[in-house]
Amino acid sequence: MQSPTGIPLTVGREPSLQDRFHLIGIGGAGMSALARWLVDLGATVSGSDLVESPVLTELRARGVRAYAPHDPTQMGEPTWVVVSDAVHPDNPEVIEAMRRGLPLWRRSQLMGWLLKPYRVIAISGTHGKTTTTAMLATILEEAGYDPLVLLGGDMPSAPPPWAGNIRLGKGKWAVVEACEAYEAFLDLEPEIALVTNIDPDHLDYHGTFERLQQSFARFCQRVRPSGHRVCCGDNRGVQEMCKQLHARGSHERPPLLYGFGGHNDLRAEILKRTPDGTDFRLLLSHLSGLPGWSELSHAPTFHLPLLGDHNVQNALGAIAVAMLLGIPIEAQRHALARFLGVKRRQELIGEAAGITLVDDYAHHPVEIEATIAALRQRFPNRRLVVIYQPHLYSRTRDQLEGLIHSLRAADRVVITDIYPAREKPIPGISASLIADGLLEQDHPPTLYVPIKEQIPHRLLPHLLPGDVVVTMGAGDIDKIGAVLLRLLEARGQVRRLRIAVLMGGDSPERDVSLLSGMRVLQALDPERFVGIPVDPALRQGKEGVWGLLDLLQNEPPDLAFIALHGRHGEDGAIQGLLEMLGIPYTGSGILPSALAMNKYAAKIVLQSVGLTTPPGILVHQADLQDGVDPRDLPGLSRLKLPLIVKPNEGGSTLGTTRVWEWEQLPRALRKAFAYDERALIEELIEGVEVSVPVVGTRAPQALPPVEIAPRTGFYGFQAKYTPGMTEEIVPARLSDEILELLKATALRAHLALGCRSMSRVDIILRDFTPFILEVNTVPGLTPTSLLPRSAEAAGIPFPQLITLLIEDALGGWR
């Protein structure tokens, strides 16, 4: 006997509660529940998982020695090892357990063994088993049964004896969710088996739909001779299974059928659907002898505070079992009226900026259709935005057309990459196939965002007040709802925002960046923002300043304010990291930052839209090897003295030299190559030097041009940052016509490179022709910097400028 992944399993032996149990994959929902149960029974439990999680922390508080990652040296001395169905034979702890000759069970074997003392009600089905199990558990609680309950999801805010997804009741009945995925339910011997529905799923294991139905039939055959089978008669898959059971004649009682159809034994008639729930009447057909039914003077009505007809079907299944147990109708009505659902089933996450966030576990086409219909009932006349994460490569392959069809019922869809769980990629199968199928239609508008962490920032500009956004899938897409809510709260400013000010860095402009960053921190409005200094050049933080690892591991800030200058700060590197982390940031994106930093590449783009730049050539350090004379460089003969030589990807004029004679060129290149392996040689354009800031994303605007008049005649590093060495005149002493020309030129350059939020365009005006020198995407913000000077001249004080840049990054300049 083997596990689904091929691990040899122990048969013919059983443990005792005196054994020391080690659970591999203990962080999963099913395994963690069994760990809690074992501890409650007094057993010694340890376990490992792939990564650290809050579940492991909670288990440690219960006395479980839980750790991550899997490590055979930490296993201790267990006497019985249990593996989840996702664990593979090459797991190091499995290898160690086999080396020691320890008995190995899969999770369902342990659950079946622990359930032997109980009268078991096992609830299975392709969809709805978690909610149905929780409904029945609530009814049994109401009736005083004190059941043991095992769920596939957590009961939110449930008091003890609930412990997450397990209720450690002391009664004789156990209500358990029975999984069909790898025939785990065949390790159970229930007194009552309930099947909610059977639809094609888990075909990676079962192979065909017919084999899946046969597996459910075998599950129903495991019901004890005196027991009952309860099935949803509305489902075709269940109907086919019932025919198989009838043909086998393996049980003295036919299944009790429930549903909406007239052929069912127990039926529901829906009376009213409202945003607050569904009212229905219970009807009995073709059947007599259900305990308590004959005493009723009229058909009872129920109020269910859940949405969707599928949840009425779930409730009918729970009612059918409760009636078999003889639980009074009034107890059932009261229990279902207070039932608020299970975590990740139409779970309300929060609301901000007029937008409601919901999370749901739906991952199969049937579930997606039912959930969207329920949300339409709950939120009538509101736009529904679905963020869907496919679950498993095999399910995406097998259900592709159904997924596309079901998602068309949404008003807008975001597709992210497949959550693989236990699977390896299947060639040719990608979440992009779902997106492509949706995009072939006129509706709904669809975004494909492979990295889920990037979804909030990509989706936010498309959201409107009144929207309902639902994260949907059986993987980890629920994490995105919290991030999106935080961003919406930032947009609505319902709390102080955490602003990470990135400063310092590892470029030659580090000192300037520290000055910019400190000034930004000082300018943050303390009533609206909490500043967090971050120096990416540090791996570990110190003295109140975060390092790179802190940015990666701590709770993400609401926004990163980039005050990094030069390499890794304004060349797209830090922007790429923030994109991967899903942290919104000020300034331009990856490509515009990289283009603007690369002066020669920017020159080509600017020239392509008709803007003028100084004539120049790009020189690589390798071009001057083997004694090549710089004056023999290709293209140099077309340039006229004087020249200016600068690092191709540098800033603050570091490494920049003016060349008046050809003999000065080698030294100028050596200086530039000290900062970059490529240098830009341009004709030195003499004229009026101006700098024009551009701010805003939705409607970018040029601020007043700043005229630069350095006392030394050259606007070098010291002239830029030493107070009093340069006269900066705002606005520049030029005619209104020329000022407008300069602003229009700067705006064209900003847009040509794709910049956003802010930039500073440096220009030389010669004979009424503006020559663009460069575009800076992270302008300096020091006391002598030009962007703040220009903003102040436009009536924007520095603290207000910082606030506007933050607001712009979170939702557009306003």
Side-chain angles (χ1 to χ4, degrees):
M1 183 177 175
Q2 293 183 333
S3 77
T5 59
I7 297 172
L9 299 174
T10 300
V11 293
R13 293 176 57 189
E14 289 188 352
S16 73
L17 289 176
Q18 282 67 51
D19 275 290
R20 296 185 297 276
F21 293 89
H22 184 76
L23 280 57
I24 305 176
I26 198 170
M31 294 286 276
S32 61
L34 294 185
R36 297 182 189 102
W37 190 3
L38 284 168
V39 169
D40 188 64
L41 293 172
T44 300
V45 184
S46 62
S48 65
D49 208 46
L50 189 62
V51 295
E52 187 61 50
S53 69
V55 172
L56 299 193
T57 302
E58 183 262 337
L59 289 175
R60 284 192 286 265
R62 292 179 178 272
V64 177
R65 192 170 57 81
Y67 58 88
H70 305 297
D71 180 359
T73 66
Q74 296 195 56
M75 289 176 65
E77 298 296 331
T79 57
W80 206 276
V81 177
V82 184
V83 297
S84 83
D85 285 343
V87 172
H88 287 261
D90 60 357
N91 181 286
E93 295 191 356
V94 172
I95 294 172
E96 178 63 16
M98 293 177 66
R99 187 190 70 79
R100 298 187 198 179
L102 298 174
L104 278 160
W105 266 5
R106 65 187 290 208
R107 171 188 171 269
S108 57
Q109 289 175 281
L110 177 61
M111 185 169 81
W113 175 70
L114 288 170
L115 285 170
K116 282 189 174 182
Y118 293 86
R119 301 178 71 180
V120 176
I121 303 168
I123 299 176
S124 192
T126 308
H127 331 286
K129 51 185 174 284
T130 299
T131 298
T132 305
T133 303
M135 286 178 170
L136 182 57
T138 304
I139 292 173
L140 265 62
E141 281 183 311
E142 183 72 23
Y145 275 53
D146 192 20
L148 175 94
V149 184
L150 282 166
L151 275 180
D154 288 353
M155 285 287 280
S157 304
W162 280 101
N165 62 338
I166 186 171
R167 186 186 189 277
L168 298 167
K170 303 304 179 184
K172 62 183 178 181
W173 285 95
V175 185
V176 301
E177 184 175 331
C179 184
E180 78 281 8
Y182 295 112
E183 296 188 312
F185 53 13
L186 298 185
D187 283 316
L188 305 178
E189 293 184 5
E191 186 163 328
I192 299 175
L194 188 155
V195 179
T196 58
N197 40 61
I198 307 174
D199 286 314
D201 200 14
H202 301 296
L203 300 185
D204 57 313
Y205 175 80
H206 294 282
T208 65
F209 186 35
E210 290 71 25
R211 289 179 181 172
L212 175 64
Q213 291 171 331
Q214 292 168 8
S215 180
F216 272 99
R218 289 193 294 274
F219 165 63
C220 287
Q221 287 179 300
R222 294 187 64 81
V223 172
R224 294 173 181 175
S226 60
H228 298 270
R229 295 167 298 181
V230 180
C231 301
C232 180
D234 293 338
N235 180 264
R236 290 185 179 180
V238 170
Q239 293 168 7
E240 291 298 321
M241 182 205 68
C242 288
K243 291 178 182 178
Q244 294 180 24
L245 289 173
H246 180 72
R248 297 177 186 183
S250 58
H251 202 275
E252 61 186 51
R253 292 192 182 96
L256 172 66
L257 300 182
Y258 67 88
F260 296 120
H263 62 283
N264 292 300
D265 303 309
L266 194 65
R267 295 189 295 119
E269 177 188 9
I270 293 181
L271 303 175
K272 184 169 60 174
R273 300 178 181 89
T274 71
D276 298 320
T278 306
D279 294 343
F280 64 92
R281 178 182 291 117
L282 194 64
L283 303 172
L284 191 67
S285 304
H286 313 309
L287 187 70
S288 61
L290 271 178
W293 184 263
S294 59
E295 287 80 15
L296 295 173
S297 59
H298 61 279
T301 59
F302 286 74
H303 173 72
L304 187 66
L306 298 185
L307 289 302
D309 292 0
H310 66 292
N311 276 319
V312 175
Q313 286 181 318
N314 293 335
L316 275 177
I319 291 169
V321 174
M323 293 185 71
L324 288 172
L325 298 180
I327 295 176
I329 287 290
E330 278 306 309
Q332 298 181 43
R333 294 176 71 239
H334 189 267
L336 290 176
R338 67 179 176 85
F339 180 72
L340 298 179
V342 183
K343 191 171 179 61
R344 297 216 62 205
R345 273 69 175 176
Q346 299 181 44
E347 181 184 8
L348 182 64
I349 302 302
E351 185 167 344
I355 296 168
T356 302
L357 295 173
V358 178
D359 180 54
D360 197 88
Y361 196 71
H363 53 281
H364 185 282
V366 173
E367 298 164 358
I368 294 170
E369 287 186 1
T371 299
I372 290 177
L375 291 172
R376 296 288 189 201
Q377 178 183 340
R378 185 175 184 179
F379 302 105
N381 304 316
R382 293 179 66 177
R383 198 171 69 141
L384 185 62
V385 180
V386 172
I387 303 172
Y388 179 65
Q389 180 189 51
H391 187 259
L392 300 178
Y393 291 97
S394 60
R395 182 179 284 122
T396 304
R397 175 196 62 200
D398 298 336
Q399 305 289 345
L400 179 60
E401 292 304 318
L403 291 170
I404 294 169
H405 177 77
S406 61
L407 287 166
R408 284 176 183 157
D411 297 308
R412 179 179 284 275
V413 176
V414 180
I415 302 293
T416 192
D417 264 2
I418 296 169
Y419 184 84
R422 57 192 173 269
E423 292 187 341
K424 295 180 180 179
I426 297 175
I429 300 302
S430 165
S432 64
L433 297 175
I434 303 174
D436 287 348
L438 291 168
L439 289 167
E440 288 177 0
Q441 308 295 318
D442 293 335
H443 181 86
T446 301
L447 281 175
Y448 175 47
V449 187
I451 306 300
K452 70 178 185 299
E453 287 78 11
Q454 298 176 7
I455 291 174
H457 204 47
R458 290 279 305 277
L459 178 61
L460 199 61
H462 301 282
L463 296 181
L464 301 171
D467 283 350
V468 177
V469 181
V470 53
T471 51
M472 193 177 287
D476 58 358
I477 193 64
D478 56 311
K479 297 177 181 178
I480 298 305
V483 178
L484 188 55
L485 179 63
R486 197 163 60 240
L487 288 177
L488 289 170
E489 289 175 343
R491 174 188 278 186
Q493 192 69 71
V494 299
R495 57 174 172 78
R496 289 206 302 169
L497 306 184
R498 298 166 66 248
I499 308 298
V501 179
L502 274 57
M503 51 195 275
D506 61 352
S507 85
E509 298 174 75
R510 173 179 173 82
D511 292 337
V512 178
S513 173
L514 289 171
L515 289 172
S516 290
M518 290 303 299
R519 194 171 185 225
V520 170
L521 286 167
Q522 293 167 359
L524 291 174
D525 183 347
E527 295 185 0
R528 298 185 59 185
F529 308 117
V530 176
I532 305 170
V534 181
D535 187 349
L538 303 176
R539 286 183 60 83
Q540 298 281 358
K542 62 178 183 180
E543 299 175 358
V545 178
W546 280 14
L548 187 59
L549 290 178
D550 299 297
L551 185 65
L552 295 173
Q553 297 172 354
N554 292 352
E555 180 185 352
D558 296 298
L559 177 82
F561 194 110
I562 299 178
L564 294 167
H565 305 310
R567 186 182 302 112
H568 298 153
E570 53 184 315
D571 60 0
I574 197 69
Q575 290 80 3
L577 175 62
L578 294 170
E579 292 273 1
M580 293 290 288
L581 296 175
I583 300 173
Y585 55 89
T586 58
S588 295
I590 300 170
L591 180 58
S593 298
L595 276 176
M597 187 68 175
N598 187 321
K599 296 180 176 61
Y600 190 74
K603 178 190 290 285
I604 294 172
V605 173
L606 296 173
Q607 290 174 350
S608 72
V609 297
L611 295 171
T612 303
T613 67
I617 63 171
L618 183 68
V619 181
H620 196 284
Q621 194 168 10
D623 296 337
L624 297 180
Q625 293 178 353
D626 302 325
V628 174
D629 189 327
R631 289 171 291 187
D632 295 331
L633 289 168
L636 186 63
S637 60
R638 296 195 302 268
L639 303 183
K640 300 176 182 178
L641 291 171
L643 306 174
I644 188 163
V645 179
K646 61 183 80 170
N648 187 55
E649 297 186 22
S652 295
T653 63
L654 291 168
T656 300
T657 306
R658 293 183 296 175
V659 174
W660 306 98
E661 304 290 341
W662 291 112
E663 289 75 14
Q664 298 172 326
L665 183 58
R667 182 176 59 82
L669 285 170
R670 284 196 301 272
K671 184 176 178 182
F673 288 146
Y675 292 88
D676 188 6
E677 61 183 12
R678 293 177 299 176
L680 183 62
I681 304 176
E682 290 181 323
E683 289 187 6
L684 178 64
I685 307 299
E686 297 185 280
V688 180
E689 187 165 0
V690 292
S691 189
V692 186
V694 178
V695 292
T697 296
R698 292 180 178 175
Q701 55 183 297
L703 296 181
V706 182
E707 181 181 346
I708 301 163
R711 300 193 185 281
T712 61
F714 176 50
Y715 194 46
F717 182 84
Q718 287 187 316
K720 283 185 176 184
Y721 299 110
T722 304
M725 288 195 65
T726 298
E727 185 179 7
E728 291 129 358
I729 303 113
V730 193
R733 296 167 296 186
L734 299 165
S735 68
D736 290 345
E737 181 181 0
I738 293 297
L739 291 175
E740 290 304 314
L741 171 64
L742 293 171
K743 291 167 69 174
T745 299
L747 188 57
R748 285 179 62 195
H750 177 95
L751 296 174
L753 295 179
C755 300
R756 68 179 186 219
S757 183
M758 60 176 164
S759 72
R760 192 195 70 231
V761 183
D762 297 337
I763 299 172
I764 296 288
L765 180 69
R766 186 179 73 181
D767 299 333
F768 304 102
T769 299
F771 287 78
I772 298 178
L773 304 181
E774 63 178 87
V775 178
N776 190 313
T777 55
V778 185
L781 297 170
T782 72
T784 60
S785 296
L786 304 180
L787 169 58
R789 293 290 305 277
S790 177
E792 288 171 3
I796 307 173
F798 187 70
Q800 184 183 347
L801 173 66
I802 298 305
T803 297
L804 289 172
L805 290 173
I806 292 171
E807 290 176 346
D808 175 66
L810 292 172
W813 184 271
R814 56 183 183 270

